[in-house]
Amino acid sequence: MKFTLSWLKTHLKTDADLPTILKTLNAIGLEVDGVENPAEKLDGFKIAKVLTAERHPQADKLQVLTVDHGDGTPLQVVCGAPNARAGLVGVFGTEGAVVPANGMVLKKTAIRGVESNGMMCSTRELELGDDHDGIIELDAAAPVGQVYADWAGLNDPVIDVSITPNRQDCMGVRGIARDLAAAGLGTLNAIIVPEIAGVGPGPDVRTQDAEGCPAFFARTVRGVTNGQSPEWMAKRLKAIGQKPISTLVDITNYIMIDLGRPLHVYDMASLKGGLVARKGKPGEQVLALNGKTYTVDETMTVIADDQAVHDIGGIMGGEHSGAQDGTTDVLIECAYFTPERIAMTGQKLTLTSDARGRFERGVDPAFLDDGLSIATSLVVHLCGGTPSEATRAGAPPVTPKIVDYTPDQCLTLAGVYVAADEQKRILESLGFVVGGQENRTDYEDGVPVIVPGNWSITVPSWRRDVDGWPDIVEEVVRIVGLEHVPSTPLPRMPGVARPTATAEQLVERRVRRTAAARGLAEAINWSFLSEKEAASVGGGQWTLANPISEDLKVMRPSLLPGLLSASRRNMDRGAASVRLFELGRRYFKQGERATVGFVLAGEKQSRSWQGGKAQAFTAYDAKADIMALLAAAGAPVANLQSFGEASAAYHPGQSGTLRLGPKVVLAEYGVLHPGLAKQFGLSGTVVAGEIFLDAIPGKRKTGFMRPPYAPPALQAVKRDFAFVVADTVEADALVRAVKGADKKAIVDARLFDVFTGPGVDEGSKSLAIEVTLQPGEKSFTQEELDAISTAIVKAVQKLGGVLRG
């Protein structure tokens, strides 16, 4: 929900500054997503007057201008705009200003041999419109030298507020202003509803679907002239990202955002007979305003005339019946649609709109007459015409909801004492009607005590989310301030607390701490991807029918896309080295899979006088992190087998998997495939890995305590062996063969050298292994050592290896 500060102040009389307003919005539960001031990017642009204009000596389409920008020293500017001429007053970008459209920094330069200082700008270059045919032309009386944004009234911050689904009343600027007024930030201005003197009977509208559309109010206005919206309306709509279309369409959009009341305007010339709100018929289709054709069914509410469906009720109008440039007679629809029906229809059609977002939350059912009158007044005032009487088909659900309440329930539920008078003020400021018994005076030990009476609170028609007295308490406490709610610990049993974390949670905790200790920063990404991102890692198996965004449509089959996107954002912001990890879930038909993923991009080590050039990450860095995280997760690291290439997301020949046997894959890692890295906008070598926590076997529960640590009494013996094997033999296979030669005596074996070159035949390589032997109760004899060595050599011979002489 976006609105400008000046727009808010049309409903809220306040002297509060912007930081105070933002702080209060967050405090009362209306989370501020962001604030943007359009004037900030136009700081370096001033109003200037062209004094002279002459043809460029080296280019027919360029002119050399002399520009007065208010500092007393005219500047020379080369300009290619066809409308540049002496006497024109426009917008001038000074040296050092940044052009919003392309980020170009203006500086003194030479264009075809002629010095140019700054730039005369078009509306597109300043992102104020699409016109690029010439430079901006201002009124001749515009003050030369003044900052353009200040003169044009663009210094108006745009506030973006995240509205939770239960706060339907704040889907309009007035509802937000009401909350701020209740919080003591000003006074809510009265809303003026004009009286419409209609001429002639109202239009033929009716409802045949009381469940989906219980009320359908309408009025016609004949003899209108459609055109461009007035500047004040267009300016507000453009500021929040709404493109002005025409006066009639913009009026409906403006009222929807201003008051939270969606409406629709029909061109009466396109209608055949009266309009009826009814259930759709199987196979009926409607070409909507977004240019797409939708097939409706009997579970959906539509607006139709005698021949065709013109509107998907409460969600989107039809393309052929909407107001056009030549429209002269219109029908204004102001209807109430059942929220549950709107939500189901939108989900079935996978169709979202601003109107749906409001109707499925629940608009004010008591605001139909007033909303229709306000819309009619704006149409007549801005487009002319003669309005008819109103037709009111059906009746909206306006039965008042009454809640029994006592002021002391606030302290009972929330632990916050709020005086009864203050509670009453807050509730009445929010639109609640407080009635019932008056306070009475009682005596405790001879001391008079005021006892609040029982209240009968009528809930306002725009607050369908309030059902009982706990909701009343919530309203009071959020306005008073949630920071006043005391932090009270839950009762616990005496003695040692019982552990609450599950075995899986403990594993994830150890993995998270290990990753952080190794220098990785944790990222928390969406569990949803775009279809393109999901396809890059093999495609997802679950696609949402009603996603919050097309870019968040597929449930992720891998953590890599989210981590790669986060890496790109960090690199774009100047990060030289990115080390990110995420612990989350992947989603498949068989269920959710707990997974740890990480990405290493950029510089592993910066350039230095010791190391020389900057060093990039390698697949071995990924493997080191994989081994450390697997050990933290409790995987039998010593028994893992290394296999060849990983999935298609990785670079062939520079990736691998770690497994328990050929089928149980615990992790994959390596250099990212260049094509995948390029798709996510990453350059250079990028390494990554994923650990599949669900594949790690759990520890057996023996029921016995861990045996005491007993270090060996005798020192270990180390022996080095160098074997010549075919270059296709993996070092991991050789190490496992050595370990298996004598499982009792050999406690460790590791590769410490790989050699190819003189003395080693082509197609072969030399692998050097360090073997650790641990004696038991007595030291090894020479005969025992020779026997172990012979067993090692025989084990390697089975792989085709020979002891290097």
Side-chain angles (χ1 to χ4, degrees):
M1 174 68 190
K2 290 184 177 182
F3 54 92
T4 64
L5 182 60
S6 64
W7 196 341
L8 175 68
K9 289 186 176 181
T10 62
H11 292 281
L12 181 69
K13 184 179 180 180
T14 181
D15 295 326
D17 58 10
L18 180 62
T20 303
I21 291 174
L22 299 179
K23 181 180 179 181
T24 306
L25 285 171
N26 283 317
I28 61 178
L30 301 176
E31 182 181 359
V32 178
D33 273 352
V35 181
E36 180 182 355
N37 192 343
E40 291 178 354
K41 60 185 179 183
L42 299 176
D43 279 345
F45 296 87
K46 297 182 176 181
I47 298 173
K49 183 176 183 179
V50 179
L51 301 178
T52 64
E54 299 178 359
R55 189 177 69 84
H56 192 291
Q58 304 295 330
D60 293 338
K61 294 186 178 180
L62 297 179
Q63 295 187 75
V64 181
L65 312 179
T66 303
V67 175
D68 176 14
H69 67 292
D71 70 346
T73 304
L75 295 176
Q76 181 173 281
V77 178
V78 177
C79 180
N83 63 332
R85 64 188 183 277
L88 180 144
V89 178
V91 181
F92 173 69
T94 59
E95 185 176 352
V98 180
V99 179
N102 54 26
M104 179 178 66
V105 180
L106 298 179
K107 57 185 178 180
K108 183 185 298 185
T109 186
I111 301 177
R112 296 287 185 92
V114 176
E115 182 182 280
S116 180
N117 302 270
M119 182 175 73
M120 297 296 292
C121 304
S122 68
T123 56
R124 184 188 295 180
E125 288 162 339
L126 299 185
E127 293 186 338
L128 299 175
D130 297 327
D131 185 15
H132 195 58
D133 294 334
I135 56 179
I136 297 173
E137 295 191 39
L138 303 178
D139 188 279
V144 173
Q146 185 174 345
V147 175
Y148 170 69
D150 294 340
W151 177 81
L154 298 175
N155 194 3
D156 191 8
V158 178
I159 305 170
D160 187 3
V161 177
S162 177
I163 307 298
T164 53
N166 65 313
R167 291 307 308 278
Q168 66 281 344
D169 57 308
C170 288
M171 290 300 288
V173 180
R174 183 167 183 81
I176 295 173
R178 183 189 295 112
D179 264 24
L180 289 172
L185 224 60
T187 304
L188 186 67
N189 295 329
I191 186 170
I192 299 175
V193 179
E195 294 185 5
I196 305 298
V199 178
D204 177 16
V205 298
R206 57 194 186 280
T207 178
Q208 296 177 354
D209 183 11
E211 180 183 355
C213 178
F216 188 174
F217 291 11
R219 179 183 268 120
T220 62
V221 182
R222 298 182 181 273
V224 302
T225 302
N226 200 10
Q228 297 300 314
S229 299
E231 183 180 355
W232 64 268
M233 181 180 289
K235 181 179 174 182
R236 287 181 181 173
L237 292 175
K238 284 192 290 187
I240 64 172
Q242 292 273 354
K243 183 179 180 180
I245 299 172
S246 68
T247 307
L248 291 171
V249 175
D250 294 346
I251 286 172
T252 62
N253 288 334
Y254 183 82
I255 294 176
M256 176 179 64
I257 298 164
D258 186 54
L259 302 174
R261 158 42 72 179
L263 304 111
H264 190 62
V265 173
Y266 295 91
D267 185 345
M268 293 187 64
S270 65
L271 303 180
K272 309 298 180 184
L275 286 180
V276 58
R278 60 170 173 80
K279 292 182 178 180
K281 300 175 182 178
E284 281 188 316
Q285 293 185 329
V286 56
L287 177 61
L289 286 170
N290 61 2
K292 297 181 180 179
T293 300
Y294 296 91
T295 302
V296 301
D297 60 33
E298 64 278 3
T299 67
M300 304 174 185
T301 302
V302 300
I303 308 296
D305 61 11
D306 294 344
Q307 294 186 4
V309 174
H310 291 287
D311 192 350
I312 303 171
I315 298 180
M316 189 170 289
E319 186 173 281
H320 299 305
S321 59
Q324 308 295 326
D325 290 342
T327 297
T328 57
D329 300 330
V330 296
L331 183 149
I332 305 172
E333 166 216 306
C334 186
Y336 180 83
F337 296 95
T338 306
E340 293 77 12
R341 179 72 67 81
I342 292 291
M344 290 189 293
T345 300
Q347 290 171 5
K348 273 191 175 183
L349 299 178
T350 63
L351 176 59
T352 60
S353 67
D354 289 333
R356 174 191 167 184
R358 288 163 173 81
F359 274 123
E360 72 179 353
R361 282 175 164 87
V363 301
D364 183 2
F367 198 69
L368 270 70
D369 262 324
D370 290 349
L372 184 60
S373 295
I374 292 171
T376 305
S377 176
L378 279 173
V379 169
V380 172
H381 180 69
L382 299 177
C383 302
T386 303
S388 72
E389 295 288 345
T391 299
R392 300 172 180 85
V398 292
T399 303
K401 187 185 300 181
I402 298 176
V403 177
D404 292 331
Y405 179 74
T406 57
D408 57 359
Q409 287 176 316
C410 181
L411 179 62
T412 302
L413 181 63
V416 179
Y417 173 75
V418 182
D421 291 344
E422 177 63 8
Q423 292 192 48
K424 185 176 182 180
R425 184 201 68 79
I426 291 173
L427 292 172
E428 290 179 343
S429 297
L430 292 173
F432 294 84
V433 177
V434 181
Q437 299 178 5
E438 296 293 333
N439 297 343
R440 70 180 190 276
T441 302
D442 203 351
Y443 292 88
E444 294 182 3
D445 298 329
V447 178
V449 177
I450 297 177
V451 179
N454 293 327
W455 290 356
S456 179
I457 298 178
T458 303
V459 179
S461 56
W462 57 81
R463 291 302 301 272
R464 67 187 294 264
D465 58 306
V466 176
D467 286 323
W469 70 265
D471 298 319
I472 302 294
V473 172
E474 180 183 355
E475 291 301 298
V476 172
V477 172
R478 74 177 179 88
I479 297 299
V480 169
L482 295 175
E483 68 273 13
H484 297 296
V485 177
S487 178
T488 305
L490 295 173
R492 58 180 294 180
M493 298 295 292
V496 179
R498 295 180 180 180
T500 57
T502 64
E504 292 78 8
Q505 290 171 330
L506 291 174
V507 168
E508 292 180 2
R509 184 182 301 171
R510 290 195 299 269
V511 169
R512 182 177 283 110
R513 290 177 175 175
T514 302
R518 293 183 65 82
L520 279 73
E522 184 172 11
I524 301 176
N525 296 305
W526 289 100
S527 296
F528 313 104
L529 307 171
S530 66
E531 291 181 324
K532 183 179 180 181
E533 289 175 330
S536 69
V537 288
Q541 298 181 7
W542 290 100
T543 301
L544 301 183
N546 186 33
I548 59 176
S549 166
E550 282 297 313
D551 291 334
L552 300 172
K553 189 174 184 178
V554 181
M555 300 193 76
R556 63 184 178 189
S558 169
L559 303 187
L560 291 183
L563 287 168
L564 293 174
S565 295
S567 299
R568 184 195 68 245
R569 288 192 294 272
N570 281 272
M571 300 290 279
D572 289 345
R573 285 159 176 77
S577 178
V578 175
R579 306 169 187 234
L580 296 178
F581 82 95
E582 182 177 10
L583 201 158
R585 301 291 186 271
R586 299 175 300 135
Y587 300 92
F588 302 96
K589 292 293 185 183
Q590 298 81 9
E592 302 178 9
R593 304 294 188 215
T595 308
V596 180
F598 64 86
V599 169
L600 310 176
E603 299 176 355
K604 173 187 176 183
Q605 182 176 327
S606 301
R607 62 181 181 175
S608 67
W609 63 271
Q610 289 178 308
K613 295 181 179 180
Q615 298 180 17
F617 292 101
T618 67
Y620 295 107
D621 296 310
K623 185 176 182 180
D625 284 337
I626 286 283
M627 296 296 288
L629 297 178
L630 281 171
V637 176
N639 298 330
L640 296 181
Q641 301 177 26
S642 181
F643 282 74
E645 289 126 14
S647 65
Y650 295 90
H651 195 302
Q654 299 185 42
S655 59
T657 60
L658 292 174
R659 311 188 185 196
L660 279 175
K663 295 183 179 180
V664 182
V665 180
L666 299 191
E668 61 179 14
Y669 64 92
V671 176
L672 203 67
H673 194 287
L676 183 59
K678 182 178 180 181
Q679 180 176 334
F680 283 88
L682 295 170
S683 58
T685 302
V686 180
V687 302
E690 284 188 296
I691 298 175
F692 313 123
L693 296 178
D694 60 294
I696 299 175
K699 291 184 178 180
R700 296 180 180 177
K701 296 182 179 180
T702 61
F704 296 99
M705 295 181 63
R706 182 186 303 171
Y709 174 64
L714 300 175
Q715 187 174 352
V717 178
K718 294 185 177 180
R719 291 289 185 269
D720 294 345
F721 296 83
F723 296 101
V724 177
V725 297
D727 57 9
T728 57
V729 175
E730 295 181 353
D732 178 70
L734 183 66
V735 170
R736 283 188 283 107
V738 170
K739 287 182 177 180
D742 190 328
K743 295 183 179 180
K744 182 178 180 181
I746 300 174
V747 294
D748 191 22
R750 69 179 186 89
L751 176 74
F752 69 88
D753 184 55
V754 179
F755 176 75
T756 58
V760 178
D761 295 338
E762 187 175 353
S764 300
K765 59 185 176 182
S766 172
L767 301 179
I769 308 293
E770 179 187 77
V771 181
T772 303
L773 309 174
Q774 180 60 58
E777 298 180 355
K778 61 179 182 176
S779 299
F780 290 118
T781 65
Q782 187 61 45
E783 290 77 11
E784 291 172 334
L785 292 174
D786 291 341
I788 295 172
S789 299
T790 300
I792 291 173
V793 172
K794 287 183 179 180
V796 174
Q797 286 176 348
K798 295 179 181 180
L799 298 176
V802 296
L803 191 64
R804 184 178 176 189

